[in-house]
Amino acid sequence: MLHKLLMQWPKAQANYNDSNTSNTGNTNSSSSRNNNNNNNNINNNCKSVLLLLLLLLLLSWQIKSADGHKVTASLITNHNYPVEEHTVHTPDDYILTIYRIPTSPKRQQLNETLGQKKPVVFLQHGILCASDDWIINGPETSLAYMFADAGYDVWLGNARGNTYSRQHKSLHPDTSDFWKFSWHEIGVYDLAAMLDYSLSESNQTSLHFVAHSQGTTTFFVLMSSLPWYNEKVRSVHLLAPIAYMRYHSFILSKLGGIFLGSPSFLSWVLGSMELLPITKVQKLMCEHVCSEGSMFKFLCKGLLDFIGGWGTRHLNHTLLTDVCETHPAGASTSQIIHYLQLYTSGDFRQYDHGKELNEIIYQQSTPPSYNVQNIHSCVHMYYSDNDYMSAVEDVEYLASQLPCADLYRIPFDDWNHYDFLWSNNVKEVINNRIIDQIHRYDLEHATGLSF
């Protein structure tokens, strides 16, 4: 069946290309007609991508997940960087795998030793993602390698439920009990445990924190809920931050919010399930769909555009195979439902279990809001106009609610949600800026001078 579906894609793409050729060849056509043709082309792409996304969702529930494509350690080693794998146990007995890049081959040439005490930076991934996000763009461009080259002790987190963190002391991932969590638990349990572990192993008391997408949400959750953790972060850099979602523009969120944005029988049935783990069929699709030179490659780019923002000119297309092989990395459906609740309510608050359960869990009928006023760290937030997940208005409203926030709006109107990680120019636009700001912070606090 999959083979037949794949064989049908080139016909659809051929028709799409023919229509493009016909349109561009007509030099005398009006601008309105061109706009209509462009809209039709986008609609055609949307339909193709929606069909691919639906197929992935159906397959993820019908086919047993394969062993995840765990590439973090091997990729780091292949680039001649030292890497350590560490196991972190959470207070509620989840077992997480995190990685450390203690130094860089470039630093070793400067006679830097592995045991030398250095400032710590911790990187946390987004939803359906993993530690791979920070390294697959290569050693010259990926933020993890750049931090190591700059002399930092680099830690890469992995939240419960993804490819690297599918273990629990007593629960098996084949049971629904394993998946009874949202990003609230990832924040107060996983992120807290990973930060504590990294600081202990590095013999430091505070660190620099960088996160993308859901990783930023878990930061807001942790610092709002357990405010003493503010003392453990030095500087904070959040890419495509998500907390309030009043202007969130992803079409599936608008549809999903209707059915799952408030407690219902459907949200109860669909909650606490495994969502989009890596399957054997997905691996097969990566080989046929996203590989270099594949006639189906437009689907892979289209899927990222559909979720993150159409029309970006910045995506590094050579990474599509690597992205496909490692994403989606798995999550709980409750994480998605929790975001849909934020979209529906317009508030940044805990999971809504329904009035009766809320009374038992929270001692009130509605979920408590996160008090972002508890976040004492000055938060640097990086956002863009073409990000379907992190709307400009929502980020700016969030900044107005924080005690200290510094905003950087990307100077490209087509920069989307995934360009923060995998664009051709992410080094110049984002990474260099973050590293410079962290260097400046460390110098100012070491010397007492302002730079």
Side-chain angles (χ1 to χ4, degrees):
M1 179 180 177
L2 175 64
H3 177 71
K4 291 181 180 179
L5 284 170
L6 290 176
M7 290 300 292
Q8 292 172 1
W9 285 118
K11 296 179 182 178
Q13 176 64 353
N15 292 335
Y16 169 69
N17 289 337
D18 288 344
S19 68
N20 275 349
T21 302
S22 175
N23 290 337
T24 55
N26 186 2
T27 57
N28 295 321
S29 57
S30 66
S31 60
S32 61
R33 181 177 176 183
N34 283 335
N35 289 335
N36 288 335
N37 287 334
N38 289 335
N39 290 334
N40 288 335
N41 291 337
I42 291 175
N43 288 335
N44 288 337
N45 266 345
C46 283
K47 292 174 183 177
S48 299
V49 168
L50 275 170
L51 182 57
L52 179 61
L53 184 59
L54 178 61
L55 181 62
L56 286 173
L57 284 168
L58 291 173
L59 291 173
S60 73
W61 283 325
Q62 295 296 324
I63 298 176
K64 188 174 181 180
S65 60
D67 289 334
H69 195 61
K70 300 180 180 179
V71 301
T72 295
S74 60
L75 277 180
I76 295 172
T77 300
N78 289 345
H79 290 302
N80 299 315
Y81 285 75
V83 61
E84 300 171 5
E85 182 177 290
H86 293 258
T87 300
V88 177
H89 295 257
T90 69
D92 57 344
D93 293 329
Y94 282 83
I95 302 171
L96 317 175
T97 299
I98 67 176
Y99 292 92
R100 180 188 194 183
I101 307 176
T103 189
S104 159
K106 298 177 182 178
R107 306 294 298 187
Q108 290 172 334
Q109 294 171 4
L110 300 174
N111 296 321
E112 180 180 277
T113 62
L114 280 175
Q116 184 175 336
K117 188 175 178 180
K118 297 186 294 184
V120 177
V121 62
F122 190 96
L123 307 177
Q124 183 61 23
H125 62 81
I127 195 168
L128 292 168
C129 296
S131 49
D132 312 318
D133 288 12
W134 306 105
I135 61 170
I136 60 176
N137 216 352
E140 299 302 319
T141 306
S142 295
L143 190 55
Y145 296 121
M146 292 179 66
F147 271 124
D149 293 344
Y152 288 87
D153 187 353
V154 183
W155 290 82
L156 310 175
N158 279 301
R160 64 182 66 190
N162 81 358
T163 302
Y164 297 90
S165 299
R166 292 169 51 84
Q167 290 180 286
H168 188 278
K169 186 177 179 180
S170 59
L171 302 176
H172 194 276
D174 286 344
T175 66
S176 62
D177 285 343
F178 181 93
W179 300 99
K180 286 184 178 179
F181 62 83
S182 176
W183 36 258
H184 175 84
E185 287 74 20
I186 293 174
V188 297
Y189 294 136
D190 295 8
L191 186 56
M194 291 187 291
L195 295 184
D196 286 339
Y197 183 93
S198 303
L199 289 172
S200 176
E201 288 293 308
S202 304
N203 194 26
Q204 293 278 16
T205 58
S206 61
L207 50 73
H208 298 283
F209 183 80
V210 182
H212 176 247
S213 191
Q214 181 193 256
T216 73
T217 310
T218 62
F219 171 83
F220 295 130
V221 168
L222 175 59
M223 299 301 160
S224 297
S225 304
L226 307 176
W228 53 91
Y229 271 88
N230 283 278
E231 305 303 320
K232 300 187 180 188
V233 293
R234 296 170 67 79
S235 69
V236 181
H237 304 268
L238 306 181
L239 314 179
I242 302 176
Y244 299 96
M245 298 178 66
R246 299 168 182 175
Y247 296 91
H248 182 78
S249 59
F250 183 39
I251 185 62
L252 291 187
S253 297
K254 294 178 180 292
L255 294 174
I258 297 172
F259 302 101
L260 300 172
S262 300
S264 64
F265 177 75
L266 184 60
S267 65
W268 177 77
V269 169
L270 295 180
S272 302
M273 295 173 61
E274 184 174 16
L275 176 68
L276 291 174
I278 293 177
T279 65
K280 293 179 180 179
V281 173
Q282 180 188 334
K283 291 184 176 182
L284 177 64
M285 291 183 67
C286 291
E287 295 174 5
H288 289 280
V289 176
C290 295
S291 59
E292 194 67 33
S294 168
M295 67 182 70
F296 312 115
K297 199 170 182 180
F298 77 101
L299 288 171
C300 297
K301 180 184 182 302
L303 186 57
L304 291 179
D305 281 355
F306 176 72
I307 297 172
W310 283 107
T312 177
R313 298 163 294 173
H314 305 279
L315 180 67
N316 185 348
H317 290 194
T318 64
L319 299 180
L320 288 176
T321 302
D322 294 321
V323 171
C324 180
E325 288 178 346
T326 54
H327 298 75
S332 169
T333 52
S334 296
Q335 294 168 245
I336 299 294
I337 292 173
H338 198 171
Y339 274 128
L340 293 176
Q341 291 180 356
L342 299 192
Y343 174 72
T344 300
S345 70
D347 193 12
F348 182 44
R349 63 186 191 179
Q350 295 192 38
Y351 196 92
D352 192 345
H353 299 274
K355 184 176 180 180
E356 292 184 3
L357 278 178
N358 287 342
E359 291 283 3
I360 296 172
I361 297 170
Y362 308 125
Q363 289 77 54
Q364 59 186 58
S365 60
T366 58
S369 299
Y370 294 106
N371 184 7
V372 296
Q373 288 289 321
N374 285 337
I375 302 174
H376 306 307
S377 310
C378 199
V379 180
H380 299 268
M381 296 193 288
Y382 308 76
Y383 64 120
S384 64
D385 293 325
N386 190 39
D387 188 341
Y388 289 175
M389 297 295 158
S390 176
V392 167
E393 297 88 346
D394 288 328
V395 174
E396 292 178 348
Y397 175 75
L398 171 62
S400 73
Q401 302 301 301
L402 294 169
C404 180
D406 177 71
L407 292 177
Y408 179 67
R409 191 165 175 172
I410 304 299
F412 299 103
D413 58 9
D414 61 337
W415 188 279
N416 79 6
H417 196 66
Y418 297 106
D419 287 329
F420 289 95
L421 299 171
W422 306 318
S423 68
N424 286 310
N425 52 341
V426 68
K427 178 178 180 179
E428 296 78 17
V429 177
I430 295 287
N431 296 355
N432 286 340
R433 185 181 184 89
I434 293 175
I435 293 173
D436 287 345
Q437 287 181 332
I438 289 178
H439 271 318
R440 188 180 304 114
Y441 178 97
D442 287 338
L443 279 174
E444 289 178 352
H445 284 74
T447 64
L449 303 176
S450 180
F451 293 91

